[in-house]
Amino acid sequence: MKLKIAIMSLLTSILMSAASIDYLSNNSASYFQNPSQTGKISVEGIFYNPAGTVFLEDGTYLNLNMQNSLIEESMTLKGKKYKSKNYAGAPSFNLLYKKDKFSLFGNASVVAGGATLKYKDGVVGVELAADAFNQLTGGRLGARLTTNNFKGQNRYYQLTFGGAYKVNEQFSISGGLRYVLGVRKLKGNAIYSYNPLVGRMIGLSGNELHIDSERTANGIGGTIGFDYKPTDTLNFALKYDTPVKMKFKAKASEVKGMSIAGRPLGISLFYPEYADGAEYRRDLPGVLSIGVSKDVDRFTYSGGYIHYFNRAAKMDRFKYKDGYELNFGVDYRINDKFTWHAGFNYADTGAPKKTYTDVEYAINSQIYATGLTYKPTENSEWKFGVAHVSYNSANGEKENTVLPGVSLDKSKVKYDKSINVFTVGYTHKF
């Protein structure tokens, strides 16, 4: 019985999560020109500073964006790198109607999540598990992994509708509703070989684990914003997005090809969120954004702070600390048609090392961005941006099992990511 519990514990600790909740601030091309957007007044402010939209000229604005990212996520163990290298495209759309003291707006975008992760050459956790299986039997089991591939996806699609009102020439407020559809997927295959004689002695039979599962949920939240413009060259803004309660339900097909002491073992046994019909909460946290911008001659300087209230959100079985971002940037108006941008963003995710798993490791990052805006006419504008997201590689945390001296030593695993982005956006005023 102790050995049975130990094997279950080992598999539980390696198959904990398919993808992380990465709340995305990069909602338009302007972000990857200069990440400091909260304090600015723009059409893209529908997402960053909705209250500021009433300070735009009267008219109807359509804004389209496409973020194109080349992403590499990797885990390194004993000099071997296990990596997922993928392309991700994230479109976003903004529609704004501004008249006198009012504005009405809508936003459609990917508000959280990331690329589909495909580890064709395997992941570290199941490799560590084979070593741990051998520890359980003093090496007599001879367990090793012959097939190892996992795929995970996590995307949250958002629709926002709202409006803003100019109280006076310096102050405005905004409010809106957000509808979010979340989709989380896990597809995995793990096949082990081992000494069948030793396996029979401990009641272990079979060698295959397979699952193909999709979890979906939807929820509604709110957004409220304030903008204060004391002078023509200085602006302050604040926005708060409420938490969005997301209760996920899973639909899955699964092959439970291993058993211990006559009890079938499947990935869903160790990862119950992905079992067919399972229902679990995994919410989006509340988010507070504060920003400022200041015009000085041809320059606009901006800075901002974003706070993620992770502690108050239910995220499956993990407990996160609150996260935050700090950013600043500069825009330089070269002439009436061209503007140059540059900026920096630092993000602390609030994820403890114990949350690092095969395809979820929310490590801290820095964004370096620059770009150009081209305004060929009074009513049209193109934005181009490039950025590099540099992550602070980190090692995991050693995880003990129910048997003394037997563990998954993730402290030997280095987790890392790297993202390069090219983005383009277009705005037309009707």
Side-chain angles (χ1 to χ4, degrees), residues 23 178 240-244 284-288 307-310 312-313:
Y23 217 123
R178 305 161 59 214
Y240 177 69
D241 293 330
T242 68
V244 180
L284 288 179
V287 183
L288 176 68
H307 192 90
Y308 300 93
F309 295 93
N310 297 326

Side-chain angles (χ1 to χ4, degrees), residues 1 3-4 7 137 141 194-206 258-265:
M1 177 60 70
L3 186 56
K4 171 185 174 181
I7 292 175
T137 58
L141 186 62
Y194 53 86
N195 186 319
L197 294 177
V198 178
R200 281 196 292 271
M201 291 174 59
I202 63 174
L204 179 65
S205 63
M258 295 181 71
S259 65
I260 180 73
R263 180 177 181 180
L265 301 178

Side-chain angles (χ1 to χ4, degrees), residues 23-25 38 48 178 237-243 284-291 304-313 315 320-327 345-350:
Y23 217 123
L24 302 178
S25 298
T38 304
Y48 304 105
R178 305 161 59 214
L238 180 149
K239 186 189 75 161
Y240 177 69
D241 293 330
T242 68
L284 288 179
V287 183
L288 176 68
S289 305
I290 303 171
Y305 174 81
I306 304 174
H307 192 90
Y308 300 93
F309 295 93
N310 297 326
R311 290 180 184 270
M315 297 184 182
Y320 288 82
K321 300 177 182 178
D322 283 1
Y324 68 89
E325 295 183 22
L326 289 169
N327 51 61
N345 185 86
Y346 173 76
D348 186 312
T349 65

Side-chain angles (χ1 to χ4, degrees), residues 210-252:
H210 307 284
I211 193 171
D212 188 352
S213 178
E214 177 175 310
R215 304 169 65 197
T216 57
N218 59 75
I220 295 177
T223 180
I224 185 171
F226 303 92
D227 192 275
Y228 176 55
K229 189 176 173 63
T231 71
D232 289 339
T233 62
L234 180 63
N235 193 70
F236 298 92
L238 180 149
K239 186 189 75 161
Y240 177 69
D241 293 330
T242 68
V244 180
K245 179 181 176 181
M246 306 288 288
K247 189 174 183 179
F248 283 86
K249 184 173 182 179
K251 292 184 179 180

Side-chain angles (χ1 to χ4, degrees), residues 20 35 51 81 102 113 211 332 348 386:
S20 64
K81 181 180 284 190
F102 295 90
I211 193 171
Y332 176 69
D348 186 312
V386 294

